[in-house]
Amino acid sequence: MTARVRTTLVAACALALSAAPAAPAVASPATDGHDATRRALEAAVADGVPGVTATARDGHRTWSGTAGAGDLRTGEPRSERDRYRVGSITKTFVATVVLQLEAEGRLSLDDTVDAWLPGVVEGNGNDGKRITLRQLLNHTSGIYNYTADDEFARTYFTRDGFLEHRYDTVTPRQLVAIATAHEPDFAPGTDWRYSNTNYILAGMVIEEVTGRPYAEEVRRRIIDPLKLRATSVPGTRTTLPRPSSRAYSKLDGTATEPTYDVTRLNPSLAGASGEMISSSADLNRFYTALLRGRLLPAKQLTEMTTTVPARPGTAYGLGLIKRQLDCGVTVWGHAGGIHGSSSEAVTTRDGRHALAFNFNGDWSGDSDAVIDAEFCGD
């Protein structure tokens, strides 16, 4: 749900698990050009990540590698076929659907939020009449991030709160109401700040325009045409499909605290901002198809890749992060974090070279080092 892989989201389950010995890294025989990436996966596990799975595509060649444990109780290693929660990578799927609707003439990015969701964004200085759909998608709306709300954080991200509420269903309107109980961070269009509320609203707009839930539109327009068989929008389903690994968190403690299994949760707390499940191979297929123009006409793809300044070293388009690596390579994609799961999916602008990976823990590991190793290493 955040823009960073190493998420600050925390969660809990009743049983603390003791760490099992990490499994060695494994990969397909064709490892040429990916030795640095293998070392980066192993370094993440040495840093404390329970396990990592990664898949890269470079031209017509595919490489997969894993390191560490997928299950700390049994010692079962991670699998290159693992399904995992992708968090805010969901945002790219949602933005793609909005841009497809624009291409069909069913909405405009310059439409206001209030034009589609009258009265939903109001109060405490919030005004949906002043916020455009484009500003939702590039995080320049100024709407408060509902996951930053203190009460929401206590309810879903602390140990005791998560234990009590991990299976609760939360509606998009409830999440927006949490956000609009706060004043905006800034006037629309005057600054940039990442807010999960923006994409909760974008999902609501998709449903208003099409008459179908955003999840159905994502399946119909992206998942099914691209045959993303490991990708799903779970709604309120609490389990992960097989094959999958367990997801772990240190809860609201430090890295020296016990490790907790947080695999099962009701992802409605993330909704259109970060609920989806996928695999590394599917994510590579999705971003490659997107940036090669298979999902959007040229005009909409240009809009998607038109960026505003974001965090140092990055710029944000419409559901896409642009990152300039130290070696001069530019990659596009998104990061995602949700309880016990931290993911990255990036590709070059031509779609030729793609990488997606997942840490099944949310407190350690250097995701930037994995990306740099793949695109800049030996």
Side-chain angles (χ1 to χ4, degrees), residues 78-116:
R78 293 217 66 175
S79 166
E80 65 188 49
R81 298 176 57 239
D82 270 353
R83 276 78 163 154
Y84 48 81
R85 301 189 193 278
V86 303
S88 283
I89 291 172
T90 302
K91 291 180 172 67
T92 311
F93 288 82
V94 172
T96 300
V97 172
V98 173
L99 286 162
Q100 288 176 340
L101 293 171
E102 185 198 47
E104 295 164 10
R106 301 175 70 178
L107 58 75
S108 168
L109 293 181
D110 296 321
D111 290 345
T112 66
V113 173
D114 202 70
W116 291 104

Side-chain angles (χ1 to χ4, degrees), residues 1 19 30 46 49 69 73 88 104 130 137 147 197 225 268 276 377-378:
M1 295 166 64
V49 175
R73 183 176 61 84
S88 283
E104 295 164 10
R130 300 177 57 207
L137 298 185
T147 61
T197 314
S268 65
M276 288 182 65
D378 50 48

Side-chain angles (χ1 to χ4, degrees), residues 126 141-145 182-187 190-191 193-195:
N126 295 282
S141 72
I143 298 174
Y144 185 83
N145 181 6
H182 297 264
E183 294 182 355
D185 292 326
F186 48 82
T190 64
D191 204 345
R193 183 170 295 175
Y194 194 87
S195 174

Side-chain angles (χ1 to χ4, degrees), residues 112-169:
T112 66
V113 173
D114 202 70
W116 291 104
L117 304 172
V120 172
V121 178
E122 63 180 9
N124 299 304
N126 295 282
D127 186 355
K129 298 182 181 68
R130 300 177 57 207
I131 299 168
T132 67
L133 303 186
R134 188 189 308 274
Q135 290 166 344
L136 293 182
L137 298 185
N138 67 11
H139 295 296
T140 61
S141 72
I143 298 174
Y144 185 83
N145 181 6
Y146 75 88
T147 61
D149 176 79
D150 288 342
E151 181 61 27
F152 186 90
R154 281 192 296 270
T155 302
Y156 296 103
F157 302 152
T158 65
R159 178 183 180 276
D160 292 341
F162 186 77
L163 282 172
E164 182 177 353
H165 297 285
R166 67 190 300 170
Y167 299 123
D168 289 359
T169 294

